[in-house]
Amino acid sequence: MLNDVVIANKLYAKTTIADSEVDEISLRILKQDCPSFLLPMRCINIDGEKELRFEIVDGRRLSYFTEKMKKKDFIRMLKNMLLPFKDCQDWFLDYHNILLDRDHIIIRPADYSVFYLYLPQVSNAQTDAEIARFFEDLIMRTELEDSPEYAMRLLRILKGNNSHIFGLLEELMKGEEKAEPAPVYEEKKPQEPPVSQPATPWKPVLERPAVDTPTPTPATTKKPVTGKAEESGAARPGKSSGTFGKEDVQGALLGSLFGDVEEEDEKPTKGKKEKKKPEKTKEKANAKENKKEPKPAKEKSGGFLGFLKTKETKEEEAAPVVYGGRQPVPQPQNVNYGRTQQPAGGSYMYGGEDDTLVDVGPEDSGDSSILVLRLENAAGYSLPQTIELNLSKGYTTIGRTDKYGNNQCDYNFAAEMAFVSRSHLRIEKNGDQWQVIDIGSTNGTFVNGQQIIKNMPQLLERGDTIMFSAKHRVTYRVC
């Protein structure tokens, strides 16, 4: 009979065996050179009996493992569970003494490595038929999401004429060999002998000396700077241009008499009078005066009273026009004054002096299979205020989605919350009470600020807090 005990913050499975039933060879192997697929063991002699303490290593109990798996993950786990039965012969151990108890088989989800509990006794713990029946039940319990027909194929192998777990192991090994593509080797073709060609007589190659040839440069022509206008069809800014490429005769005459217009910004030299700009014609002046519109005269404000009048006129313009003599009454908006959203389960009500969320209780809500968690500390993350957990099947699991968005548990946080393990904890019913179990999380689970031991059930009561990480401190309260 195995009992779970906690010694120095470590979980052990304890049992006793009479000295007459102990296999000394296997006991010495477990004490001095324990195989990697078995749980570490300590032996204490007490009044003619040997007390064996098996340390529960980090991992997850098989009873807490999910029943929905992918085909490749299930094959990997099942193969690792069957290999120790074959390796026992190399360690002078009897595989019939491997204890097949779902609560004491530890599996690490990262690499699906398996750890068994071995009983060093003379008599066998189970027969071959019981071992085959255990794996048959394991295959029946597991639901393969991507290949349900593969489970039926494994069951046919176990229920054959020569039903044995080693035949099942051979089938798994064959499937793994078929899955791996064989290396492709290209056949090397024999090289053909090179065809002999007649030798050509050698001729000297004369190299010509390199001659530096001057690179032609584009000829640039300078335009003579004269006081006369340019003889081009394009018009200068501010001057009249010839029509259809003709020469501007009038502009040339004006340029010869009064000089170039572009030199107006230069200071006049001594002995020369300043050039006067041509006066605007009367027609242009009259046209500009006609374009100007008279500015409206500003109304005189009556001082302070005038300011009030202008303000009243603005308000009158902004006021909406109402038909029928009544003004519309503004409707109140749906404003949430800092209250937490009420969960759908109906187990809460608003009340109290500060108008906070008050728990009604599972007895009053009428559904005791619903467990509600209320957010206490979000730690800067966008998290739901309440979480409703359905315990109608007896338990529920909490974790997060993987990087591909696949759900791993009954309730899943977002993949960005990496401090929450994909399968973090499990809450199950124990009569009229609840208990929480850390199912091998990386950052641990804390109840009321104290870290609980992995794979060890912890009593959970109303008002207790559950924290998912000591560093990030995301906390929910049980309601």
Side-chain angles (χ1 to χ4, degrees):
M1 184 64 182
L2 291 172
N3 297 319
D4 293 339
V5 294
V6 179
I7 302 174
N9 293 329
K10 289 185 179 181
L11 182 61
Y12 293 89
K14 183 179 68 173
T15 186
T16 56
I17 300 177
D19 291 342
S20 58
E21 293 291 331
V22 174
D23 184 6
E24 295 294 338
I25 297 177
S26 59
L27 181 62
R28 180 172 295 184
I29 292 174
L30 295 178
K31 290 171 62 176
Q32 297 180 0
D33 190 11
C34 183
S36 59
F37 54 86
L38 297 180
L39 295 175
M41 188 205 67
R42 295 178 59 187
C43 181
I44 301 175
N45 296 322
I46 301 175
D47 298 334
E49 292 181 343
K50 294 188 182 299
E51 182 179 290
L52 306 178
R53 298 177 181 177
F54 299 91
E55 181 181 355
I56 306 299
V57 297
D58 291 340
R60 189 184 308 169
R61 296 179 191 261
L62 182 60
S63 57
Y64 299 152
F65 235 82
T66 178
E67 296 178 354
K68 292 183 178 181
M69 299 182 66
K70 294 182 179 181
K71 177 183 175 182
K72 62 176 183 178
D73 296 335
F74 181 70
I75 291 176
R76 189 178 180 185
M77 184 186 73
L78 188 60
K79 186 185 70 173
N80 291 341
M81 293 181 67
L82 292 172
L83 280 175
F85 290 85
K86 182 180 179 182
D87 296 339
C88 280
Q89 300 176 2
D90 300 335
W91 291 87
F92 302 101
L93 299 175
D94 189 0
Y95 67 87
H96 295 93
N97 289 333
I98 293 179
L99 185 63
L100 295 178
D101 185 6
R102 294 175 60 89
D103 291 334
H104 295 92
I105 298 175
I106 308 300
I107 300 176
R108 288 178 177 170
D111 54 356
Y112 291 98
S113 55
V114 183
F115 300 91
Y116 284 109
L117 189 151
Y118 186 88
L119 296 176
Q121 58 187 17
V122 177
S123 59
N124 295 333
Q126 56 244 334
T127 61
D128 291 338
E130 293 175 347
I131 295 173
R133 196 177 303 115
F134 172 82
F135 285 99
E136 178 183 342
D137 180 66
L138 177 63
I139 298 172
M140 291 286 293
R141 285 173 176 265
T142 307
E143 179 182 353
L144 300 182
E145 298 177 350
D146 51 351
S147 180
E149 66 278 0
Y150 185 74
M152 302 304 298
R153 179 181 174 184
L154 297 179
L155 288 175
R156 285 194 295 268
I157 295 174
L158 279 176
K159 287 185 171 295
N161 295 329
N162 298 325
S163 61
H164 203 274
I165 58 173
F166 296 113
L168 182 61
L169 179 60
E170 290 178 2
E171 179 66 23
L172 295 175
M173 299 296 288
K174 288 179 182 178
E176 187 177 1
E177 292 176 359
K178 291 179 181 179
E180 295 180 357
V184 179
Y185 298 98
E186 297 181 357
E187 296 182 359
K188 294 184 178 181
K189 297 180 179 180
Q191 296 181 356
E192 297 179 358
V195 179
S196 60
Q197 297 180 357
T200 56
W202 178 79
K203 294 182 179 181
V205 179
L206 300 177
E207 296 182 358
R208 295 181 179 180
V211 179
D212 296 336
T213 58
T215 57
T217 56
T220 57
T221 58
K222 296 184 180 180
K223 295 181 180 181
V225 180
T226 60
K228 298 182 180 181
E230 296 179 355
E231 299 178 358
S232 61
R236 294 186 180 181
K239 295 184 178 182
S240 60
S241 61
T243 58
F244 302 104
K246 294 181 179 180
E247 295 180 354
D248 193 355
V249 180
Q250 184 179 359
L253 293 174
L254 292 174
S256 62
L257 293 175
F258 301 102
D260 201 352
V261 182
E262 293 179 357
E263 298 176 358
E264 290 179 357
D265 295 337
E266 297 179 0
K267 294 183 181 180
T269 56
K270 293 182 180 181
K272 291 185 181 180
K273 296 182 180 180
E274 295 181 358
K275 298 176 184 178
K276 296 182 180 180
K277 297 181 181 179
E279 297 180 357
K280 298 180 180 178
T281 60
K282 293 181 179 181
E283 295 178 359
K284 293 183 179 180
N286 294 333
K288 288 186 177 181
E289 289 178 358
N290 295 333
K291 289 182 180 179
K292 293 182 179 179
E293 295 180 1
K295 296 182 180 179
K298 295 183 180 179
E299 296 180 358
K300 294 183 180 180
S301 61
F304 183 69
L305 296 176
F307 174 75
L308 293 178
K309 289 181 180 179
T310 57
K311 188 174 182 181
E312 288 176 359
T313 56
K314 290 181 180 179
E315 292 180 356
E316 289 175 2
E317 293 175 359
V321 180
V322 181
Y323 300 96
R326 293 184 180 180
Q327 295 183 358
V329 180
Q331 298 295 332
Q333 299 178 357
N334 296 328
V335 181
N336 186 5
Y337 298 97
R339 291 180 176 177
T340 310
Q341 186 178 1
Q342 185 175 359
S347 59
Y348 290 88
M349 64 177 293
Y350 291 105
E353 298 178 356
D354 54 350
D355 199 15
T356 55
L357 196 64
V358 179
D359 185 12
V360 176
E363 295 85 1
D364 299 334
S365 62
D367 192 359
S368 59
S369 62
I370 300 298
L371 179 64
V372 181
L373 303 180
R374 188 180 64 206
L375 182 63
E376 290 287 328
N377 183 16
Y381 292 90
S382 178
L383 299 173
Q385 294 293 326
T386 56
I387 298 176
E388 290 189 1
L389 302 176
N390 189 359
L391 297 173
S392 58
K393 61 180 180 180
Y395 70 92
T396 186
T397 55
I398 299 178
R400 65 169 174 87
T401 57
D402 59 6
K403 60 182 180 179
Y404 302 106
N406 300 322
N407 294 333
Q408 305 293 322
C409 297
D410 298 326
Y411 183 84
N412 299 271
F413 288 101
E416 289 75 14
M417 299 181 62
F419 59 90
V420 178
S421 299
R422 287 176 293 178
S423 296
H424 198 99
L425 60 88
R426 170 188 173 113
I427 299 177
E428 59 185 22
K429 294 179 66 177
N430 186 12
D432 296 336
Q433 296 178 336
W434 300 311
Q435 56 187 12
V436 59
I437 305 161
D438 188 322
I439 51 178
S441 66
T442 303
N443 296 318
T445 304
F446 298 79
V447 176
N448 297 328
Q450 299 293 328
Q451 186 175 4
I452 63 176
I453 299 173
K454 298 178 181 180
N455 295 299
M456 183 72 178
Q458 173 73 27
L459 183 63
L460 192 65
E461 297 180 350
R462 295 163 54 82
D464 291 346
T465 59
I466 300 176
M467 188 169 64
F468 291 90
S469 173
K471 181 179 179 181
H472 297 84
R473 306 185 71 83
V474 173
T475 308
Y476 277 85
R477 186 175 295 276
V478 181
C479 301

